[in-house]
Amino acid sequence: MLYTILPEEMIFPNEQSKEQESIEIDGGFLIVEKTNETEYKVVRLVSSNPSHYLNENYAPGRLIQLKPQF
């Protein structure tokens, strides 16, 4: 049994894991994976603000649409 704060993916890397990116949010970070050209899937929330964990927009598995940049 391992007692650690590291996510499982860092301890047991998976060869098939997708590239992850970090997106800064209001005092924290979202770790996301790109699912297609216009959307990301939330993998993990890293924040010291407890209210971020209650926000369903930051929940793991949530899909985030990219806004077009002109």
Side-chain angles (χ1 to χ4, degrees):
M1 184 169 290
L2 297 173
Y3 294 97
T4 179
I5 61 170
L6 296 175
E8 181 180 340
E9 297 82 24
M10 290 184 75
I11 298 169
F12 305 108
N14 184 357
E15 297 293 326
Q16 299 175 350
S17 67
K18 297 181 181 179
E19 287 290 318
Q20 295 183 347
E21 297 180 32
S22 175
I23 298 175
E24 188 172 348
I25 55 152
D26 195 31
F29 293 94
L30 287 176
I31 308 299
V32 296
E33 289 179 349
K34 194 170 193 174
T35 57
N36 61 40
E37 294 301 316
T38 61
E39 101 185 338
Y40 285 94
K41 181 175 98 174
V42 176
V43 175
R44 185 173 182 211
L45 169 64
V46 180
S47 175
S48 61
N49 185 346
S51 66
H52 285 164
Y53 292 92
L54 298 175
N55 187 337
E56 62 185 40
N57 293 325
Y58 303 150
R62 182 77 172 201
L63 295 176
I64 299 173
Q65 298 292 324
L66 287 177
K67 294 181 181 174
Q69 307 230 348
F70 298 104

